[in-house]
Every structure is written in structure tokens, then in C-alpha cells.
């Protein structure tokens, strides 16, 4: 358990049922996409019904929501609820994969390709965990590198909050093309650093 600030507890308390539903729907879509896109099978493997004790998407979504609202994670200011839940999901999904293999793959399918699949899944677990840990570090580095450049800092903060081109464009009152150009400029600036 971590110590949340009073501001964090107030934000958690202020989440409406509608906001919760929208964030959980976005999280569920992200989890579903990741499971399917990464080639996991819902009949056997770390995200199977047996391994998860229920539907993987529902179980992970609920665990992420509870982790945030029970004070296991800091909810950064200006960060959207769905974005925060997705960050938690990356960490949880990485742990789910690692734990499943640590337990000896209880419902492992017997095929010759399983060693290859195990390596792929462990790589995915490492990637999820790295993404969850590196996101904050990356934004901190970008903020320091862009100190004194208000336009770029505004872009970085908008991306941090929304992580969506359309939402960034709306927030900054720009077109999608302008946002993409700003992204190119940012990458060039960061490359120089």
C-alpha cells in the first residue's frame, strides 16, 4: 500500500458512475485488443478462464479499478482515469504471464511450439512491465528537456493526459496534421538532446 495525497483521495472520491463506466469500457477494449493482438488463447494459457478464475477482460478490469481505488497506485494529476487504468493493466498482465509460468503452466497445451510460445509470452510480460515503468520516466525526461518551450510542454502534457491524437488536437485547438507536425518537431528536439 502506498500513501496517497489528500488530493488523490478527493479525485478518486469524485469519480462519477458515468466516468467509471466509460473508463472501464475503454480499458476492456484495450485489454481485449492486447490479448487478441498478442496471440493469447482464452481457452488455455495465462488469460484462460481457468487460469483467471473468470473472463480475463472482466477480471483484469476489476483488479485494475480496485488497485487504483484502494490506494495501490498513485493517480497522477491531469491523468485520465482510463489512461491510468491501462497503465495498471500493463503491469498486472505482465505479472499474470510471469505467475502462470512460475506455477508450471497449469493448463498448458501440449504442443511442440510451446517453448517458442513461452518465450514470446515472457517477452510480452517484460514489455508490459517495462512500458508501465518507463512511461513516467520518459515524460519526466521530456519535460526537463523542453523546459522553456511552452508550446512543446503543452503538447507533452496533452499527450500525457490523453494519449490520443484527436484528444490532443481538441485540447490544443489544432488540426490532426498540426499535432502530427508537433510530434515530429518534438522527436527531433528530443533526438538532439
Amino acid at each position: 500500500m502506498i500513501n496517497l495525497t489528500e488530493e488523490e483521495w478527493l479525485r478518486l472520491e469524485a469519480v462519477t458512475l458515468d466516468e467509471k463506466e466509460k473508463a472501464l469500457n475503454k480499458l476492456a477494449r484495450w485489454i481485449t485488443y492486447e490479448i487478441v493482438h498478442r496471440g493469447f488463447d482464452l481457452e488455455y494459457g495465462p488469460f484462460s478462464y481457468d487460469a483467471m478464475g473468470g473472463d480475463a477482460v472482466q477480471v483484469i478490469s476489476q483488479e485494475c479499478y480496485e488497485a487504483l481505488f484502494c490506494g495501490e497506485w498513485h493517480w497522477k494529476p491531469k491523468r485520465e482515469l482510463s489512461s491510468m487504468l491501462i497503465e495498471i493493466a500493463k503491469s498486472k498482465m505482465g505479472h499474470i504471464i510471469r505467475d502462470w509460468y512460475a506455477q508450471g503452466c497449469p493448463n498448458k497445451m501440449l504442443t511442440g511450439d510451446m517453448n517458442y510460445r513461452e518465450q514470446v509470452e515472457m517477452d510480452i510480460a517484460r514489455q508490459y512491465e517495462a512500458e508501465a515503468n518507463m512511461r513516467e520516466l520518459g515524460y519526466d525526461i521530456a519535460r526537463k528537456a523542453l523546459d522553456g518551450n511552452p508550446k512543446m510542454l503543452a503538447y507533452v502534457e496533452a499527450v500525457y493526459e490523453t494519449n490520443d491524437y484527436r484528444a490532443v488536437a481538441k485540447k490544443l485547438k489544432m488540426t490532426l496534421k498540426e499535432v502530427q507536425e508537433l510530434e515530429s518537431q518534438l522527436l527531433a528536439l528530443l533526438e538532439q538532446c
Side-chain angles (χ1 to χ4, degrees):
M1 189 82 144
I2 58 175
N3 292 323
L4 297 183
T5 65
E6 183 178 346
E7 186 272 335
E8 286 176 296
W9 284 116
L10 290 173
R11 259 190 304 136
L12 290 169
E13 186 177 55
V15 172
T16 66
L17 191 56
D18 186 50
E19 289 171 320
K20 174 186 174 182
E21 188 176 309
K22 285 179 183 176
L24 286 174
N25 284 339
K26 190 171 183 178
L27 175 63
R29 285 192 309 274
W30 183 87
I31 293 168
T32 302
Y33 173 81
E34 284 296 308
I35 289 172
V36 171
H37 176 73
R38 303 289 186 157
F40 289 101
D41 194 310
L42 296 176
E43 292 186 34
Y44 39 79
F47 298 112
S48 68
Y49 191 92
D50 288 341
M52 296 295 302
D55 177 74
V57 175
Q58 291 176 355
V59 171
I60 295 167
S61 294
Q62 189 60 38
E63 286 180 3
C64 292
Y65 189 78
E66 287 173 4
L68 183 61
F69 280 78
C70 290
E72 295 175 26
W73 285 72
H74 284 290
W75 186 4
K76 305 282 191 222
K78 299 182 182 178
R79 186 89 179 269
E80 284 188 0
L81 178 58
S82 59
S83 174
M84 191 66 228
L85 292 173
I86 288 170
E87 183 174 334
I88 296 169
K90 287 178 181 179
S91 176
K92 286 202 172 287
M93 290 171 76
H95 286 291
I96 288 166
I97 296 166
R98 285 184 188 274
D99 291 348
W100 188 75
Y101 280 102
Q103 294 168 7
C105 314
N107 63 350
K108 187 173 183 176
M109 185 176 97
L110 300 174
T111 73
D113 293 334
M114 208 53 199
N115 286 339
Y116 171 74
R117 185 63 200 168
E118 179 178 350
Q119 183 60 46
V120 168
E121 290 177 2
M122 292 304 284
D123 288 345
I124 292 168
R126 282 189 287 279
Q127 180 183 355
Y128 282 147
E129 290 170 357
E131 285 177 13
N133 294 330
M134 295 301 290
R135 184 179 196 275
E136 292 301 320
L137 179 61
Y139 279 102
D140 288 344
I141 291 169
R143 287 180 188 109
K144 287 176 186 166
L146 298 171
D147 193 29
N149 189 332
K151 184 177 182 180
M152 285 297 176
L153 281 172
Y155 171 74
V156 166
E157 291 305 324
V159 171
Y160 179 80
E161 291 172 30
T162 64
N163 203 21
D164 176 87
Y165 280 124
R166 288 182 185 8
V168 170
K170 183 177 179 182
K171 185 171 189 67
L172 298 178
K173 297 177 175 68
M174 296 178 150
T175 65
L176 282 176
K177 185 175 180 174
E178 290 172 323
V179 167
Q180 290 168 337
E181 287 172 9
L182 207 53
E183 178 184 51
S184 294
Q185 291 171 18
L186 171 66
L187 294 174
L189 282 171
L190 292 176
E191 194 172 295
Q192 290 173 4
C193 296

